[in-house]
Amino acid sequence: MQNETTPRRQVPGIKAYNHAAGGWGALRATAKAVREQMGVLDAPITLFHTNKPDGFDCPGCAWPDKEHTSTFQFCENGAKAVTWEATKKRVTPEFFAANTVTSLLTRTDYELEFEGRLTHPMAYDQASDTYRPISWEAAFERIGEVLRGLPTPDMADFYTSGRASNEAAFLYQLFVREYGTNNFPDCSNMCHEATSQGLPKSIGLGKGTVSLDDFDRCELIIAMGHNPGTNHPRMMGTLHEVSRRNVPIIVFNPLRERALERFTDPQDPVEMATLGSTRIASSYYQVKVGGDGAALKGVMKAVLALDDASGGQVIDHDFIATHTNGFEALAADLRATAWAEIEAASGLSRADLEAVGAAYAKSNATIVTYGMGITQSTKGTSNVQQIANLLMLRGNIGKAGAGICPLRGHSNVQGDRTVGISEKPNAALLEGIERVFGFKPPHHHGHDAVATMQAMKAGFSKVLISLGGNLAVAMPDPQACYEAMRSLDLAVHVITKLNRSTLLIGKESIILPCLGRTEADVQEAGPQVVTVEDSMSMVHASRGSLPPASSMLLSEPMIVARMAMATLPNTKVDWMHLVADYDRIRDAIEAVLPEFEDYNRRIRIPGGFRLPLPATERIWNTPSGKAEFLIYEGLNQNTDDSVLRLTTLRSHDQYNTTVYGLNDRYRGVFGRRDVVFMSGSDLAKFNLRHGDLVDIETALPDSAHNRVSGFTVVEYDIAPGSVGAYYPEANPLVPLAYHDRVSGTPSYKSVPVRVVPSAAA
Ligand SMILES: Nc1nc2c(c(=O)[nH]1)N[C@H]1C(S)=C(S)[C@@H](COP(=O)(O)OP(=O)(O)OC[C@H]3O[C@@H](n4cnc5c(=O)[nH]c(N)nc54)[C@H](O)[C@@H]3O)O[C@H]1N2
Ligand SMILES: Nc1nc2c(c(=O)[nH]1)N[C@H]1C(S)=C(S)[C@@H](COP(=O)(O)OP(=O)(O)OC[C@H]3O[C@@H](n4cnc5c(=O)[nH]c(N)nc54)[C@H](O)[C@@H]3O)O[C@H]1N2
Ligand SMILES: [Mo]
């Protein structure tokens, strides 16, 4: 990485990290999060209740837990997520009175959320440019009045972030559909939509097919485009175990991520005591940003060649004949794709890809895990389908120890989808709603996240209601999205903490503060539990126990119910009956969606239950009744040599738009986020030095305004031709229109850019 003869220049805040990930550093960081956000007395008890059968589901990630009995206390980033919510800090009406919205806008995202939990419903007052307290009653009345006043319900958009429980999300979609629209932008549109859209076409199911037990039996893992040491920390325990069984783990990632190389499991007393660690990746391939489709084609081409050479012993021809369509066309396309093209687009050599093909041919049970590096690209859907193709070649779907494993983002993003948050609802859901509630829900498709912003920007959409999240900051192209937010008649934010989206005000804006996961939710029938679905389709209960951050807070289901009642005077739904006892909401879910059979009984079993996944039984819910091999058309290649591919990354100290701190320990960045990672060879090529100040410009048509300036370039072990910067600082570089045409997912992970010496320098 570093040239021996030129010592690396000192750059403030940049210091190489040379240890394994995890270990004592993780424990120290956990203690710091507790100290800064919570009282040291409450914290151990709160953390103890995380992911326990009678406790709450960790809001940190969607990785499952065996029987939900993990020793969670030592999960650093889980602890940050929990303590951030359970903080002692408060944002009160006095805080709002003392700070105009204009002044709050000058604060960073980190500073805004650091102020703490919201305590009162607030409405924006134009005259004083401040938020002022409003009663719940008046807030709901006003929302109802504005929604009823729109010429058509399609002029309102209803965003969901993936923390909402099944119960809240189900009521929300019921309200919005009775109101009359399917405008359901959600965080999944920015995240795993390529999975939700792409996999049903391949295997008839838009979710993963593996369970935790499969990891005990797999013979190979291929891990693509995810960073579990930071984003799915509990997965590290699983990878650690798999590695100790000597199972190869092949990683495709443009950056060398420390936790994917070596990890000390804080739950392992021997490793901790001896300062030992375990290797995670057996081989690490630094694929070019955006080069995964090409890499997967290369691996499949190699598998095909091995099959030819062995007289048909490598590919599972029986599986293919019985269960699939399209193999011949796929094989013909792979044979016609030249190695030179694959090498250029993936940045990997033929020999490397053949080595992966050989390992894959040897394994009788392979799991492919993947994250945002695969989905957030103009080719996201196609990428996901290539993973399915590769697995199908050896019958690795519906086989013990094998399958496809998308790593979901938010802790209940998958559940929200299951219970009806979808701009393209399926017929079964609509039929179920009509049968159970006696109104006809709209059938026409609604807006996804990009379409919502475009409709707001065009002046068509006038109201945005957000159930959680920070939509304007999470979306690409803030210049376009902030302007869109400022064109609204009314924005309503059901949230726990102040964020920038609440400060981008058109005519009216209302903040409705809600309970978080960690807090006790008491309704008429007594203390309630909510339910969530993890990455492996396990549904289980979550029970908060902390006293609410303020006595004024309402639960999300209650807020949704009261919005619905205020909006729909002739509603067919008995909202108050449902929210009085969440068992009744679950009964309603079960009545609409038969896969939730016996819902209330089964969530009372520790660990919950698994939703049916037809593909795991080799039942393919595709139009043909078979799994489909789908071809990747063309390869994503840079033709212009001055153009690099930018990927946007999460640091170790953030949860999406929530920035907990300014360090990214494993990548060696401390106290700052204004950096761009670049390989040594690209530094030389573009005549730049480690530490130089640069501007970054998007190299696409109509992207003149997509630029950032004054970033510091950091020499990093990243694939040549690729650069990385943090989300959301780099979001101005992602044009709103630059997304996957099939799934609508913004291309956050693969933007053509130029990096030039800074005009500000
Ligand atoms: N602590 C914490 N936990 C989280 C989150 C968080 O922000 N903080 N966010 C949650 C959410 S909503 C989500 S979606 C997940 C996100 O979890 P991840 O999918 O791990 O998300 P990212 O940090 O965006 O990083 C993706 C990884 O992909 C790599 N990558 C970038 N571009 C490419 C590419 O072109 N190809 C390949 N193969 N790899 C690439 C990056 O180097 C990085 O290691 O985590 C969830 N959990
Ligand atoms: N450049 C770039 N942009 C990206 C990505 C990327 O990789 N790169 N990733 C994308 C992905 S994968 C995702 S999922 C989106 C995330 O997009 P969002 O889900 O919209 O964003 P978050 O930052 O998770 O939302 C944080 C806010 O949620 C609120 N909140 C927290 N807990 C609760 C709760 O329990 N209830 C309610 N009602 N509100 C709560 C808080 O007020 C907080 O300010 O961002 C996307 N944007
Ligand atoms: Mo996500």
Side-chain angles (χ1 to χ4, degrees):
M1 195 175 119
Q2 184 62 39
N3 187 331
E4 296 282 321
T5 51
T6 45
R8 187 156 135 145
R9 184 177 178 187
Q10 291 288 319
V11 177
I14 307 300
K15 198 164 144 246
Y17 178 91
N18 297 318
H19 318 280
W24 292 99
L27 288 196
R28 271 194 298 276
T30 308
K32 181 166 174 282
V34 165
R35 200 168 52 240
E36 286 178 0
Q37 298 297 327
M38 293 183 74
V40 271
L41 287 180
D42 311 341
I45 302 163
T46 307
L47 295 181
F48 184 75
H49 283 288
T50 315
N51 288 358
K52 285 284 153 58
D54 58 348
F56 59 87
D57 183 69
C58 179
C61 77
W63 189 254
D65 256 322
K66 274 202 176 132
E67 278 111 47
H68 238 58
T69 51
S70 81
T71 39
F72 163 89
Q73 293 92 307
F74 303 130
C75 175
E76 174 191 345
N77 278 1
K80 284 183 201 156
V82 170
T83 55
W84 194 254
E85 176 175 301
T87 179
K88 295 261 180 242
K89 299 173 205 277
R90 297 289 178 270
V91 173
T92 58
E94 292 71 41
F95 171 88
F96 282 111
N99 293 283
T100 61
V101 165
T102 308
S103 73
L104 290 173
L105 272 168
T106 62
R107 302 203 186 178
T108 63
D109 298 297
Y110 166 64
E111 289 164 337
L112 289 175
E113 277 216 20
F114 193 75
E115 292 293 338
R117 290 286 300 277
L118 294 157
T119 58
H120 286 67
M122 305 293 295
Y124 181 68
D125 169 58
Q126 292 273 1
S128 62
D129 185 31
T130 57
Y131 271 100
R132 296 202 166 168
I134 181 173
S135 70
W136 281 105
E137 196 50 43
F140 291 129
E141 256 174 48
R142 182 65 193 142
I143 294 166
E145 190 178 21
V146 174
L147 284 176
R148 277 196 312 275
L150 289 179
T152 148
D154 289 333
M155 289 170 72
D157 291 284
F158 296 83
Y159 178 63
T160 315
S161 169
R163 234 181 236 196
S165 62
N166 282 357
E167 291 74 10
F170 178 80
L171 289 189
Y172 191 52
Q173 64 82 37
L174 192 63
F175 154 46
V176 173
R177 293 205 160 99
E178 191 176 20
Y179 171 61
T181 181
N182 283 313
N183 283 347
F184 285 110
D186 84 322
C187 70
S188 184
N189 297 146
M190 298 174 252
C191 185
H192 264 292
E193 194 65 22
T195 301
S196 306
Q197 301 283 332
L199 272 191
K201 295 184 186 111
S202 291
I203 61 167
L205 172 74
K207 302 179 179 184
T209 65
V210 298
S211 69
L212 266 191
D213 294 339
D214 290 315
F215 285 84
D216 296 336
R217 304 168 74 168
C218 66
E219 296 182 17
L220 170 70
I221 293 178
I222 302 179
M224 307 188 77
H226 63 92
N227 185 21
T230 291
N231 299 319
H232 310 94
R234 281 177 290 115
M235 183 195 196
M236 291 312 301
T238 308
L239 291 177
H240 189 262
E241 270 173 42
V242 170
S243 168
R244 294 207 147 192
R245 282 202 294 119
N246 279 324
V247 169
I249 300 174
I250 297 175
V251 169
F252 285 87
N253 196 312
L255 279 81
R256 286 238 160 223
E257 301 285 25
R258 181 37 57 109
L260 286 168
E261 297 182 303
R262 293 207 75 79
F263 183 68
T264 303
D265 190 346
Q267 331 263 3
D268 181 329
V270 176
E271 230 169 47
M272 290 297 277
T274 59
L275 303 181
S277 64
T278 299
R279 68 95 189 144
I280 299 297
S282 50
S283 353
Y284 206 119
Y285 296 108
Q286 287 181 275
V287 62
K288 255 193 205 170
V289 162
D292 300 272
L296 284 158
K297 283 184 86 163
V299 176
M300 289 191 282
K301 189 175 168 76
V303 171
L304 219 56
L306 288 171
D307 189 63
D308 291 344
S310 68
Q313 297 303 302
V314 169
I315 287 176
D316 188 340
H317 292 282
D318 287 346
F319 173 84
I320 288 174
T322 318
H323 290 288
T324 71
N325 278 327
F327 172 71
E328 290 309 325
L330 178 86
D333 176 72
L334 292 173
R335 289 185 213 282
T337 310
W339 275 112
E341 265 182 77
I342 291 173
E343 289 185 322
S346 67
L348 299 172
S349 71
R350 173 176 177 174
D352 282 345
L353 296 169
E354 284 177 340
V356 180
Y360 179 68
K362 233 174 86 185
S363 156
N364 294 308
T366 299
I367 294 174
V368 181
T369 58
Y370 68 95
M372 296 299 101
I374 291 293
T375 60
Q376 292 177 332
S377 121
T378 52
K379 291 282 190 178
T381 304
S382 233
N383 285 343
V384 170
Q385 291 169 341
Q386 300 322 297
I387 294 176
N389 286 347
L390 174 64
L391 287 167
M392 277 148 49
L393 285 180
R394 281 180 54 76
N396 277 312
I397 300 217
K399 185 206 269 183
I404 190 159
C405 179
L407 289 152
R408 290 281 169 168
H410 267 297
S411 49
N412 196 40
V413 57
Q414 189 163 315
D416 291 347
R417 272 301 166 101
T418 305
V419 301
I421 302 298
S422 168
E423 73 282 1
K424 298 186 196 104
N426 61 42
L429 173 75
L430 297 175
E431 178 280 318
I433 292 174
E434 189 169 351
R435 178 171 40 78
V436 175
F437 292 99
F439 68 85
K440 204 170 176 52
H443 285 233
H444 60 282
H445 289 178
H447 296 150
D448 64 7
V450 167
T452 290
M453 279 298 169
Q454 286 169 336
M456 280 160 50
K457 202 161 166 277
F460 177 75
S461 288
K462 284 294 171 199
V463 177
L464 173 71
I465 312 249
S466 292
L467 184 61
N470 186 7
L471 179 62
V473 180
M475 286 293 281
D477 214 334
Q479 193 166 323
C481 292
Y482 290 12
E483 184 191 317
M485 292 290 290
R486 289 188 163 117
S487 71
L488 289 172
D489 286 350
L490 171 66
V492 177
H493 307 272
V494 181
I495 46 173
T496 52
K497 290 207 168 180
L498 190 59
N499 63 39
R500 190 166 310 280
S501 295
T502 63
L503 306 176
L504 304 165
I505 296 170
K507 289 204 184 99
E508 273 182 85
S509 181
I510 296 177
I511 294 175
L512 303 179
C514 63
L515 293 174
R517 276 265 173 94
T518 53
E519 290 163 332
D521 180 352
V522 182
Q523 302 297 340
E524 204 181 298
Q528 301 297 314
V529 300
V530 294
T531 54
V532 294
E533 174 183 340
D534 66 31
S535 258
M536 296 183 190
S537 303
M538 294 293 299
V539 179
H540 51 77
S542 172
R543 183 197 301 274
S545 50
L546 288 184
S550 140
S551 61
M552 293 291 289
L553 303 185
L554 295 181
S555 76
E556 288 173 322
M558 179 59 92
I559 291 173
V560 172
R562 290 189 60 184
M563 268 199 290
M565 286 165 65
T567 308
L568 308 167
N570 302 318
T571 179
K572 294 253 167 53
V573 181
D574 188 346
W575 297 97
M576 282 304 120
H577 176 75
L578 288 174
V579 286
D581 180 350
Y582 296 177
D583 277 359
R584 295 173 188 158
I585 307 178
R586 285 183 284 272
D587 285 340
I589 295 176
E590 179 178 339
V592 172
L593 301 165
E595 65 260 40
F596 283 91
E597 187 187 348
D598 217 2
Y599 196 173
N600 275 310
R601 190 187 61 81
R602 290 197 291 166
I603 56 146
R604 287 178 166 81
I605 304 167
F609 64 94
R610 194 166 197 217
L611 289 168
L613 299 168
T616 61
E617 297 157 48
R618 298 195 166 171
I619 297 166
W620 317 103
N621 281 342
T622 56
S624 67
K626 297 218 171 172
E628 302 281 346
F629 284 102
L630 299 166
I631 295 173
Y632 186 108
E633 309 277 354
L635 292 176
N636 241 2
Q637 247 177 307
N638 275 345
T639 40
D640 182 343
D641 215 34
S642 70
V643 170
L644 295 154
R645 287 239 160 212
L646 168 82
T647 190
T648 60
L649 305 163
R650 292 164 165 78
S651 79
H652 194 62
D653 261 1
Q654 80 182 78
Y655 196 93
N656 300 335
T657 69
T658 295
V659 178
Y660 304 127
L662 300 179
N663 298 341
D664 192 8
R665 192 165 78 240
Y666 300 145
R667 298 201 187 105
V669 179
F670 299 91
R672 59 190 302 180
R673 295 173 53 88
D674 55 347
V675 298
V676 50
F677 301 108
M678 194 186 245
S679 70
S681 61
D682 283 328
L683 282 174
K685 177 172 162 188
F686 293 100
N687 212 7
L688 291 166
R689 288 176 63 205
H690 175 68
D692 278 357
L693 219 51
V694 293
D695 295 348
I696 315 175
E697 310 164 347
T698 301
L700 285 167
D702 303 320
S703 66
H705 74 277
N706 296 111
R707 51 180 301 130
V708 293
S709 70
F711 276 50
T712 294
V713 65
V714 169
E715 181 178 356
Y716 201 80
D717 199 351
I718 180 171
S722 310
V723 288
Y726 292 119
Y727 147 46
E729 286 77 359
N731 287 28
L733 294 165
V734 190
L736 189 56
Y738 194 59
H739 56 262
D740 175 16
R741 294 292 154 204
V742 185
S743 69
T745 312
S747 186
Y748 299 117
K749 292 287 190 278
S750 181
V751 190
V753 296
R754 289 195 176 81
V755 177
V756 298
S758 181

